[in-house]
Amino acid sequence: DIQMTQSPSSLSASVGDRVTITCRASQGISNFLAWFQQKPGKAPKSLIYAASSLQSGVPSKFSGSGSGTDFTLTIYNLQPEDIAIYYCQHYKSYPLTFGQGTRLEIK
Amino acid sequence: QVQLVESGGGVVQPGRSLRLSCEASGFTFSSYVMHWVRQAPGKGWEWVAVISYDGNKKYYADSVKGRFTISRDNAKNTLSLQMDSLRAEDTAVYYCARDLTAHGDYHDLTYWGQGTRVTVSP
Protein backbone atom coordinates (compact mmCIF):
# COMPACT_ATOMS: atom_id res chain seq x y z
CA ASP A 1 0.00 0.00 0.00
CA ILE A 2 1.09 3.57 -0.64
CA GLN A 3 1.53 5.52 2.59
CA MET A 4 0.73 9.22 2.69
CA THR A 5 2.52 11.36 5.28
CA GLN A 6 1.44 14.91 5.97
CA SER A 7 3.35 17.60 7.80
CA PRO A 8 2.90 19.34 10.04
CA SER A 9 0.18 17.53 11.97
CA SER A 10 -1.00 20.87 13.34
CA LEU A 11 -0.37 24.44 12.40
CA SER A 12 -1.20 27.77 14.00
CA ALA A 13 -1.12 30.88 11.83
CA SER A 14 -2.40 34.43 11.83
CA VAL A 15 -5.16 35.94 9.74
CA GLY A 16 -3.71 37.04 6.43
CA ASP A 17 -0.81 34.56 6.53
CA ARG A 18 0.21 32.18 3.78
CA VAL A 19 0.14 28.58 4.97
CA THR A 20 1.80 25.55 3.40
CA ILE A 21 0.97 21.91 4.12
CA THR A 22 3.12 19.10 2.79
CA CYS A 23 2.14 15.60 1.75
CA ARG A 24 4.65 12.89 0.88
CA ALA A 25 3.85 9.56 -0.79
CA SER A 26 5.85 6.44 0.01
CA GLN A 27 6.27 5.84 -3.72
CA GLY A 28 5.71 7.83 -6.88
CA ILE A 29 2.07 8.61 -7.63
CA SER A 30 2.50 10.96 -10.60
CA ASN A 31 -0.14 13.63 -10.05
CA PHE A 32 -2.86 11.33 -8.70
CA LEU A 33 -3.39 13.39 -5.57
CA ALA A 34 -6.36 15.19 -4.06
CA TRP A 35 -6.67 17.63 -1.16
CA PHE A 36 -9.70 17.92 1.11
CA GLN A 37 -10.91 20.31 3.77
CA GLN A 38 -12.97 18.96 6.66
CA LYS A 39 -14.78 21.10 9.20
CA PRO A 40 -16.16 19.64 12.46
CA GLY A 41 -19.15 17.38 11.94
CA LYS A 42 -19.08 17.80 8.18
CA ALA A 43 -18.16 15.66 5.21
CA PRO A 44 -14.88 16.43 3.48
CA LYS A 45 -14.91 19.06 0.78
CA SER A 46 -12.73 18.48 -2.25
CA LEU A 47 -10.39 21.41 -2.92
CA ILE A 48 -7.81 20.11 -5.38
CA TYR A 49 -7.58 17.14 -7.74
CA ALA A 50 -4.78 16.00 -10.03
CA ALA A 51 -2.36 17.64 -7.58
CA SER A 52 -2.92 21.16 -8.85
CA SER A 53 -6.39 21.48 -10.42
CA LEU A 54 -8.82 23.59 -8.45
CA GLN A 55 -12.29 22.15 -8.00
CA SER A 56 -15.14 24.21 -9.37
CA GLY A 57 -16.28 26.82 -6.88
CA VAL A 58 -13.19 26.61 -4.69
CA PRO A 59 -11.56 30.03 -4.21
CA SER A 60 -8.21 30.64 -5.84
CA LYS A 61 -6.64 31.23 -2.43
CA PHE A 62 -6.13 27.47 -2.41
CA SER A 63 -3.30 26.16 -4.55
CA GLY A 64 -1.80 22.72 -5.02
CA SER A 65 1.52 21.69 -6.50
CA GLY A 66 3.84 18.74 -6.81
CA SER A 67 4.33 15.49 -8.65
CA GLY A 68 5.87 12.12 -7.95
CA THR A 69 6.22 11.84 -4.18
CA ASP A 70 6.13 15.41 -2.83
CA PHE A 71 3.12 17.69 -2.82
CA THR A 72 2.04 20.93 -1.19
CA LEU A 73 -1.21 22.69 -0.45
CA THR A 74 -0.87 26.44 -0.03
CA ILE A 75 -3.55 28.65 1.45
CA TYR A 76 -3.14 32.37 0.85
CA ASN A 77 -4.57 35.16 2.98
CA LEU A 78 -5.69 32.87 5.80
CA GLN A 79 -9.15 33.68 7.14
CA PRO A 80 -11.08 32.33 10.14
CA GLU A 81 -13.33 30.31 7.83
CA ASP A 82 -10.29 28.33 6.68
CA ILE A 83 -10.00 26.70 10.10
CA ALA A 84 -10.35 23.00 9.43
CA ILE A 85 -8.42 19.77 9.08
CA TYR A 86 -6.80 19.27 5.69
CA TYR A 87 -6.13 15.86 4.18
CA CYS A 88 -4.33 14.58 1.14
CA GLN A 89 -5.36 11.40 -0.67
CA HIS A 90 -3.67 9.46 -3.47
CA TYR A 91 -5.51 7.65 -6.21
CA LYS A 92 -2.65 6.01 -8.06
CA SER A 93 -3.85 2.51 -7.18
CA TYR A 94 -5.99 0.56 -4.74
CA PRO A 95 -6.23 0.87 -1.85
CA LEU A 96 -6.76 4.61 -1.91
CA THR A 97 -5.10 6.05 1.17
CA PHE A 98 -5.17 9.35 3.02
CA GLY A 99 -2.70 11.40 4.95
CA GLN A 100 -3.28 11.66 8.69
CA GLY A 101 -4.46 15.24 8.43
CA THR A 102 -3.18 18.71 9.30
CA ARG A 103 -5.19 20.68 11.84
CA LEU A 104 -5.10 24.38 11.02
CA GLU A 105 -5.77 26.90 13.76
CA ILE A 106 -5.76 30.66 14.03
CA LYS A 107 -3.28 32.31 16.39
CA GLN B 1 -26.59 19.35 -8.45
CA VAL B 2 -24.95 16.16 -7.27
CA GLN B 3 -26.58 14.75 -4.16
CA LEU B 4 -25.60 11.66 -2.23
CA VAL B 5 -27.68 10.65 0.77
CA GLU B 6 -26.60 7.76 2.98
CA SER B 7 -28.87 5.81 5.28
CA GLY B 8 -28.99 2.57 7.23
CA GLY B 9 -26.55 3.29 10.01
CA GLY B 10 -27.22 2.40 13.61
CA VAL B 11 -26.06 0.46 16.65
CA VAL B 12 -25.37 -3.23 16.11
CA GLN B 13 -23.78 -5.99 18.15
CA PRO B 14 -20.47 -7.56 17.14
CA GLY B 15 -20.93 -10.38 14.67
CA ARG B 16 -24.21 -9.02 13.33
CA SER B 17 -24.97 -7.45 9.96
CA LEU B 18 -26.02 -4.05 8.67
CA ARG B 19 -26.80 -2.72 5.20
CA LEU B 20 -26.03 0.83 4.21
CA SER B 21 -27.58 2.63 1.26
CA CYS B 22 -26.65 5.71 -0.71
CA GLU B 23 -29.27 7.37 -2.87
CA ALA B 24 -27.82 9.40 -5.71
CA SER B 25 -29.41 12.24 -7.65
CA GLY B 26 -28.49 15.12 -9.91
CA PHE B 27 -26.31 13.06 -12.25
CA THR B 28 -26.32 9.94 -14.42
CA PHE B 29 -25.59 7.41 -11.69
CA SER B 30 -24.91 4.54 -14.09
CA SER B 31 -21.93 6.41 -15.57
CA TYR B 32 -19.87 6.79 -12.40
CA VAL B 33 -17.61 4.68 -10.25
CA MET B 34 -18.77 4.86 -6.63
CA HIS B 35 -16.94 4.42 -3.34
CA TRP B 36 -17.51 3.86 0.36
CA VAL B 37 -15.12 5.60 2.71
CA ARG B 38 -15.20 5.67 6.52
CA GLN B 39 -13.88 7.69 9.40
CA ALA B 40 -13.62 6.12 12.84
CA PRO B 41 -14.22 8.42 15.83
CA GLY B 42 -11.28 10.76 16.27
CA LYS B 43 -9.37 8.92 13.57
CA GLY B 44 -8.36 9.43 9.99
CA TRP B 45 -9.92 8.29 6.78
CA GLU B 46 -10.10 4.77 5.44
CA TRP B 47 -11.23 3.91 1.95
CA VAL B 48 -13.50 0.85 2.16
CA ALA B 49 -14.64 -0.28 -1.28
CA VAL B 50 -15.24 0.75 -4.87
CA ILE B 51 -17.58 -0.48 -7.60
CA SER B 52 -17.35 0.18 -11.31
CA TYR B 53 -20.10 2.07 -13.09
CA ASP B 54 -21.60 -1.16 -14.40
CA GLY B 55 -21.13 -3.13 -11.19
CA ASN B 56 -18.79 -5.66 -12.77
CA LYS B 57 -15.64 -4.69 -10.89
CA LYS B 58 -15.30 -4.36 -7.15
CA TYR B 59 -12.31 -3.78 -4.90
CA TYR B 60 -12.08 -3.77 -1.12
CA ALA B 61 -9.77 -2.69 1.65
CA ASP B 62 -8.06 -5.68 3.24
CA SER B 63 -9.72 -4.80 6.56
CA VAL B 64 -13.20 -5.55 5.16
CA LYS B 65 -12.50 -8.09 2.43
CA GLY B 66 -14.69 -11.16 2.84
CA ARG B 67 -17.04 -9.38 5.26
CA PHE B 68 -18.37 -6.40 3.30
CA THR B 69 -20.03 -6.41 -0.12
CA ILE B 70 -20.50 -3.35 -2.29
CA SER B 71 -23.28 -3.34 -4.87
CA ARG B 72 -25.35 -0.96 -6.93
CA ASP B 73 -28.74 -0.75 -8.59
CA ASN B 74 -28.43 1.60 -11.52
CA ALA B 75 -32.17 1.48 -12.18
CA LYS B 76 -32.80 2.86 -8.68
CA ASN B 77 -29.74 5.14 -8.50
CA THR B 78 -28.68 3.40 -5.32
CA LEU B 79 -25.35 2.24 -3.95
CA SER B 80 -25.24 -0.30 -1.11
CA LEU B 81 -22.79 -1.72 1.37
CA GLN B 82 -23.67 -5.02 3.02
CA MET B 83 -21.64 -5.34 6.19
CA ASP B 84 -21.46 -8.78 7.79
CA SER B 85 -19.54 -10.12 10.78
CA LEU B 86 -19.21 -6.63 12.15
CA ARG B 87 -16.43 -5.83 14.60
CA ALA B 88 -15.89 -3.03 17.09
CA GLU B 89 -13.24 -1.59 14.79
CA ASP B 90 -15.87 -1.09 12.07
CA THR B 91 -17.40 1.66 14.20
CA ALA B 92 -17.23 4.78 12.04
CA VAL B 93 -19.15 7.27 9.99
CA TYR B 94 -19.58 5.80 6.51
CA TYR B 95 -19.70 8.00 3.44
CA CYS B 96 -20.45 7.28 -0.17
CA ALA B 97 -18.41 9.25 -2.66
CA ARG B 98 -18.28 9.87 -6.38
CA ASP B 99 -15.39 10.72 -8.65
CA LEU B 100 -15.25 13.86 -10.77
CA THR B 101 -15.37 12.23 -14.19
CA ALA B 102 -17.62 9.55 -15.62
CA HIS B 103 -16.21 6.16 -16.61
CA GLY B 104 -12.90 7.37 -15.32
CA ASP B 105 -9.94 5.75 -13.64
CA TYR B 106 -9.24 8.86 -11.56
CA HIS B 107 -10.63 8.26 -8.09
CA ASP B 108 -10.47 11.75 -6.72
CA LEU B 109 -13.58 11.40 -4.50
CA THR B 110 -14.93 14.79 -5.55
CA TYR B 111 -18.46 14.45 -4.19
CA TRP B 112 -19.45 13.11 -0.78
CA GLY B 113 -22.65 12.39 1.08
CA GLN B 114 -23.27 13.57 4.64
CA GLY B 115 -22.44 10.17 6.13
CA THR B 116 -24.25 7.61 8.24
CA ARG B 117 -22.98 6.50 11.64
CA VAL B 118 -22.36 2.85 12.46
CA THR B 119 -21.63 1.78 16.02
CA VAL B 120 -20.66 -1.80 16.76
CA SER B 121 -21.07 -2.43 20.45
CA PRO B 122 -22.24 -5.28 22.71
Side-chain angles (χ1 to χ4, degrees):
Chain A
D1 298 0
I2 298 173
Q3 307 303 317
M4 306 301 294
T5 303
Q6 282 182 239
S7 61
S9 56
S10 65
L11 178 56
S12 183
S14 300
V15 171
D17 279 356
R18 181 185 70 184
V19 170
T20 298
I21 299 169
T22 297
C23 179
R24 175 165 288 175
S26 60
Q27 63 189 78
I29 58 169
S30 184
N31 69 334
F32 297 121
L33 185 99
W35 287 98
F36 299 91
Q37 175 193 66
Q38 187 184 22
K39 296 185 177 180
K42 299 290 189 180
K45 174 185 177 182
S46 178
L47 301 175
I48 301 283
Y49 66 98
S52 60
S53 296
L54 200 65
Q55 288 284 9
S56 175
V58 173
S60 58
K61 63 183 300 181
F62 294 95
S63 176
S65 65
S67 183
T69 60
D70 294 312
F71 302 86
T72 59
L73 173 69
T74 301
I75 308 171
Y76 295 91
N77 187 23
L78 187 69
Q79 295 298 310
E81 59 265 28
D82 300 326
I83 298 314
I85 302 176
Y86 292 83
Y87 296 92
C88 60
Q89 173 240 329
H90 88 82
Y91 48 99
K92 177 69 166 64
S93 59
Y94 298 126
L96 312 182
T97 57
F98 295 79
Q100 80 280 13
T102 295
R103 185 181 298 272
L104 181 56
E105 299 173 340
I106 294 281
K107 274 184 188 172
Chain B
Q1 74 279 21
V2 174
Q3 277 206 305
L4 300 169
V5 180
E6 302 92 338
S7 61
V11 180
V12 61
Q13 293 178 327
R16 304 297 288 262
S17 299
L18 204 59
R19 187 177 183 88
L20 306 183
S21 294
C22 170
E23 290 193 29
S25 60
F27 65 100
T28 305
F29 181 70
S30 60
S31 294
Y32 288 86
V33 169
M34 296 296 297
H35 305 260
W36 286 100
V37 185
R38 68 185 181 184
Q39 185 177 39
K43 298 288 182 65
W45 291 95
E46 182 181 21
W47 171 83
V48 173
V50 61
I51 187 168
S52 60
Y53 61 93
D54 58 5
N56 287 338
K57 295 181 183 177
K58 305 173 185 180
Y59 297 94
Y60 299 91
D62 285 346
S63 58
V64 307
K65 202 174 296 181
R67 299 188 300 122
F68 289 12
T69 302
I70 189 172
S71 61
R72 65 190 299 158
D73 184 336
N74 284 343
K76 295 182 178 179
N77 293 344
T78 300
L79 174 72
S80 297
L81 185 68
Q82 177 67 39
M83 304 187 295
D84 299 323
S85 303
L86 282 161
R87 305 168 179 168
E89 54 265 35
D90 296 318
T91 294
V93 179
Y94 286 74
Y95 297 82
C96 61
R98 197 208 89 177
D99 298 330
L100 179 62
T101 55
H103 301 293
D105 292 324
Y106 306 116
H107 305 309
D108 44 49
L109 307 179
T110 291
Y111 297 99
W112 296 65
Q114 85 291 347
T116 187
R117 186 175 302 272
V118 173
T119 302
V120 184
S121 178

